[in-house]
Amino acid sequence: MSRRDFLRSSAALTAAAFAGPCIVPSSVLGQSAPSNRVTLGIIGCGNQSTMDLPEWLANDECQVVAVCDVNKGSYGYKTAKQFLGREPQRDFVNRFYAKKTASGNYRGCDMHADFREVLARKDIDAVAIIAPDHWHAVMTILAARAGKDIYCQKPLTLTAGEGRQMVQAIRQHKRILQTGSQWRSNALIRRACELVRNGRIGKVQRVETFIAANNFSGPGPGWQEMPVPGGFDYDMWLGPAPRAPYHKDRCLYRFRFIRDYSGGQTTNFGCHSNDVAQWGLGTDDTCPVEYEDTGAEFPPKGDLFNTPTKVAFRARYANGVVLECKTDELNFGVKFQGTEGWLRVTANKIECEPQSVKDSLIQDNETHLYVSTNHYRNFIDCVKSRKEPIEPIETGHHTATLCHLGNIAMLLKRKIKWDPLKEEVVGDGEAAGMLTRPLRGPWSYSMPLKA
Ligand SMILES: NC(=O)c1ccc[n+]([C@@H]2O[C@H](COP(=O)([O-])OP(=O)(O)OC[C@H]3O[C@@H](n4cnc5c(N)ncnc54)[C@H](O)[C@@H]3O)[C@@H](O)[C@H]2O)c1
């Protein structure tokens, strides 16, 4: 029984003991009384934790009680100023909560180096997985087995195959999972998708999705192994990925440009732009059926980095709608082309033709999309209510799969056909073999939960 299940059942027992109208004012229990808060463990204290942690801390409905990272604390992340890892982030959390106490002292946030210790803690309800992509599946499945609810950063997966296993684990263990594609909780994006869904630009025929260029280059061919820095558990960083010589450009932040750990900007930004395309098209439960390269470029052979330097692929849905995904200076954005106009949405504006589309009201009897104004808050609310969050596991899995299949087509430079129901590549053994990866031992989805 998880902590929240226990709290729920004791609340039910208390209610039964005082049978009759018993309304306890929230001033007594307190909406955010400690016993009512969702307790959170943060797994991965790097670059994105600097965006996610303040969101969790600002929410009185949850309490960060532990942070975990294989790195004790170091520079070497996205920007030169970032000093990150489990120690700095534990101190960050404690400083934040200390400001809220009368004494100005707070040491309630613990730190761990092994995420299995976090999963073993009975006082933790949910985990936020902000580790690199190659860890998402093992961590999510073990967390689900341990009875935790999960906020897992995008891209949800490293491969389409592991996504299916994650879906099964979440459903089997009845866990809440929010995929960290936070544009779904943006009002402008929702408005754009509602306009498209309600036919304001006619029938959609084509959608373009824009992806940021690589913001780092690799060390180039001939790179040499480096000594592993102190305080960094490299073997635990690699985890289920193949054993490989250490280089500073392999791990912190830059892992996203190496196929063993990520799908490059295709999955990094694709799980934003393509996710919005899926929402606008109403295809969250499926994926395009065909994928082809349209001129992707890659780093030179022998470089440590091997994901596309230029993303360019075309996909086609079963109903004929074409999706063009490409590197663009826009970084993030989606353009829907319909029979009666077009609509382009970026981080801060909607542009469209005809112009009148922008001011069009969505009537009561039309399609209204799920409303979430804060992705993190939506997750915590759903942990409490047990309702589905705005980006449940299947949605994150389909968006990531679309990106993975684009990557496979760009790598193989040939058309890939996909059966979205069976989740199988049709008639191409080599491409089908790229849907899964072996996990390096001792890591497996069925391994014991204890370290
Ligand atoms: N939603 C968004 O907009 C957004 C933006 C950036 C990154 N992300 C996602 O967040 C994830 C992390 O990216 P990042 O930029 O923060 O990378 P990062 O390298 O800066 O941070 C990842 C941290 O995870 C730690 N880590 C690695 N293995 C671990 C393990 N076994 N246990 C505990 N910690 C471990 C690393 O040491 C590192 O500190 C990625 O999946 C990325 O796609 C999402």
Side-chain angles (χ1 to χ4, degrees), residues 206-226:
R206 187 183 142 86
V207 53
E208 285 173 66
T209 57
F210 308 111
I211 286 194
N214 291 4
N215 50 346
F216 286 94
S217 330
W223 58 272
Q224 299 286 314
E225 181 171 2
M226 291 177 164

Side-chain angles (χ1 to χ4, degrees), residues 42-52 68-72 74 76-78 82 84-86 112-116 129-136 139 151-156 179-183 232-240 251-256 261-262 267-269 272 375-376 443:
I42 308 293
I43 303 175
C45 300
N47 165 59
Q48 184 59 17
S49 78
T50 65
M51 307 301 272
D52 291 3
C68 169
D69 201 296
V70 298
N71 188 21
K72 185 159 176 265
S74 75
Y77 284 87
K78 181 182 179 184
Q82 288 175 322
L84 299 169
R86 61 181 179 269
H112 301 267
D114 187 328
F115 73 95
R116 289 170 294 182
I129 299 174
I130 330 175
D133 315 355
H134 67 284
W135 266 114
H136 291 182
M139 286 177 176
Y151 184 103
C152 184
Q153 263 305 343
K154 49 51 57 183
L156 194 64
T179 311
S181 293
Q182 71 274 16
W183 289 102
F232 184 67
D233 185 343
Y234 180 48
D235 190 61
M236 191 68 171
W237 185 93
L238 285 171
C251 300
L252 306 179
Y253 187 81
R254 290 152 182 80
F255 69 83
R256 48 176 53 57
Y261 322 113
S262 178
T267 54
N268 190 30
F269 278 85
H272 290 310
H375 214 57
Y376 306 85
W443 301 102

Side-chain angles (χ1 to χ4, degrees), residues 3 16 18 28 47 55 71 84 96 119 133 163 189 210 232 234 251 260 310 356 369 394 420 439:
R3 172 181 165 271
F18 295 98
V28 176
N47 165 59
E55 294 280 352
N71 188 21
L84 299 169
F96 179 92
L119 301 187
D133 315 355
I189 298 292
F210 308 111
F232 184 67
Y234 180 48
C251 300
D260 278 346
K310 180 179 157 200
S356 55
L369 297 176
E394 290 82 358
L439 301 181

Side-chain angles (χ1 to χ4, degrees), residues 36-208:
N36 205 22
R37 283 186 206 148
V38 173
T39 48
L40 260 186
I42 308 293
I43 303 175
C45 300
N47 165 59
Q48 184 59 17
S49 78
T50 65
M51 307 301 272
D52 291 3
L53 257 180
E55 294 280 352
W56 301 124
L57 295 176
N59 186 345
D60 282 344
E61 301 295 317
C62 68
Q63 174 107 15
V64 177
V65 296
V67 300
C68 169
D69 201 296
V70 298
N71 188 21
K72 185 159 176 265
S74 75
Y75 289 104
Y77 284 87
K78 181 182 179 184
T79 67
K81 278 191 186 154
Q82 288 175 322
F83 184 82
L84 299 169
R86 61 181 179 269
E87 213 167 74
Q89 294 305 63
R90 187 243 356 232
D91 295 347
F92 177 78
V93 173
N94 280 337
R95 271 199 310 275
F96 179 92
Y97 287 133
K99 282 192 201 135
K100 295 185 137 193
T101 64
S103 67
N105 285 321
Y106 183 86
R107 288 172 182 210
C109 179
D110 303 318
M111 64 175 190
H112 301 267
D114 187 328
F115 73 95
R116 289 170 294 182
E117 291 171 12
V118 177
L119 301 187
R121 279 177 58 163
K122 294 279 176 266
D123 64 331
I124 291 185
D125 300 317
V127 289
I129 299 174
I130 330 175
D133 315 355
H134 67 284
W135 266 114
H136 291 182
V138 169
M139 286 177 176
T140 294
I141 293 172
L142 266 54
R145 285 174 48 208
K148 309 299 180 202
D149 295 316
I150 300 152
Y151 184 103
C152 184
Q153 263 305 343
K154 49 51 57 183
L156 194 64
T157 58
L158 183 67
T159 65
E162 67 183 25
R164 184 46 32 208
Q165 308 228 35
M166 290 160 81
V167 170
Q168 277 160 7
I170 291 298
R171 295 304 165 205
Q172 181 191 341
H173 296 284
K174 298 188 170 41
R175 294 295 100 204
I176 299 297
L177 182 140
Q178 173 88 298
T179 311
S181 293
Q182 71 274 16
W183 289 102
R184 289 253 172 163
S185 295
N186 177 293
L188 193 74
I189 298 292
R190 185 177 68 252
R191 165 93 181 134
C193 290
E194 277 181 349
L195 289 169
V196 171
R197 285 269 199 115
N198 287 297
R200 297 299 191 273
I201 55 166
K203 203 167 174 308
V204 180
Q205 296 176 313
R206 187 183 142 86
V207 53
E208 285 173 66

Side-chain angles (χ1 to χ4, degrees), residues 399-431:
T399 295
T401 298
L402 187 169
C403 301
H404 297 318
L405 291 166
N407 263 341
I408 294 174
M410 288 189 286
L411 263 174
L412 297 181
K413 301 268 177 213
R414 62 174 177 260
K415 202 176 257 184
I416 303 298
K417 289 189 191 295
W418 178 248
D419 180 334
L421 277 180
K422 292 190 187 151
E423 298 198 355
E424 281 173 11
V425 169
V426 182
D428 187 326
E430 188 182 4

